[in-house]
Amino acid sequence: QWPLPEGDMEITNPALLTAGHDGLPIGNLNWDPALRAKYRAPHEPALGLKEVYSPEFSLYPNPAQDMLTISSPEGIECIEIYTITGTKQINQTVSGNSTLQVDVSTLPEGVYIMRITSKRGSASKKLIKH
């Protein structure tokens, strides 16, 4: 159990003297700072995490009925609207506009995922159509 106990630890069972990993004793490691450092609680960095840039944007009105306005200070390169099941409904490429209006009147009522891409990255938001 980590962390290791501090203070005096007496081991009377000889089998425990070599039960540590690498055949080293597991008794009181406080006597040797080098051994004590070796047996500190393991620390592993989180794997698969990287910092991802997500552009700032807003969409309104949300819920939308006919027209949806999207704005981003970084400029919009592409917008995609998907159903919850992943079917692409709208794909529109633009040339870096900071504000864009999208006609969503042909979409059936429901919940959609909107993906906005700028030169620096992409982000997704929920869109409700009524």
Side-chain angles (χ1 to χ4, degrees):
Q1 183 86 10
W2 298 100
L4 291 171
E6 299 290 329
D8 293 330
M9 253 177 44
E10 298 287 329
I11 299 206
T12 55
N13 183 340
L16 293 177
L17 291 176
T18 57
H21 109 346
D22 296 334
L24 295 173
I26 60 167
N28 186 350
L29 299 176
N30 293 328
W31 64 273
D32 185 344
L35 278 179
R36 184 174 178 189
K38 182 176 180 176
Y39 285 94
R40 293 206 176 175
H43 174 72
E44 295 182 21
L47 299 177
L49 297 179
K50 66 178 184 176
E51 200 167 313
V52 176
Y53 176 77
S54 181
E56 293 290 324
F57 71 91
S58 61
L59 51 108
Y60 52 90
N62 192 9
Q65 195 165 18
D66 295 324
M67 295 301 284
L68 177 68
T69 303
I70 306 162
S71 63
S72 173
E74 301 169 16
I76 302 162
E77 298 291 318
C78 179
I79 63 119
E80 299 164 312
I81 299 177
Y82 295 89
T83 64
I84 291 298
T85 59
T87 305
K88 189 183 290 187
Q89 298 294 308
I90 294 177
N91 184 14
Q92 189 172 342
T93 304
V94 292
S95 59
N97 299 349
S98 60
T99 303
L100 177 68
Q101 288 203 324
V102 179
D103 182 7
V104 293
S105 63
T106 59
L107 294 176
E109 289 186 4
V111 178
Y112 296 87
I113 303 297
M114 175 169 251
R115 182 180 172 110
I116 314 278
T117 304
S118 75
K119 286 183 181 180
R120 295 184 60 197
S122 64
S124 299
K125 282 196 178 182
K126 179 171 65 172
L127 166 64
I128 299 171
K129 167 67 168 73
H130 71 96

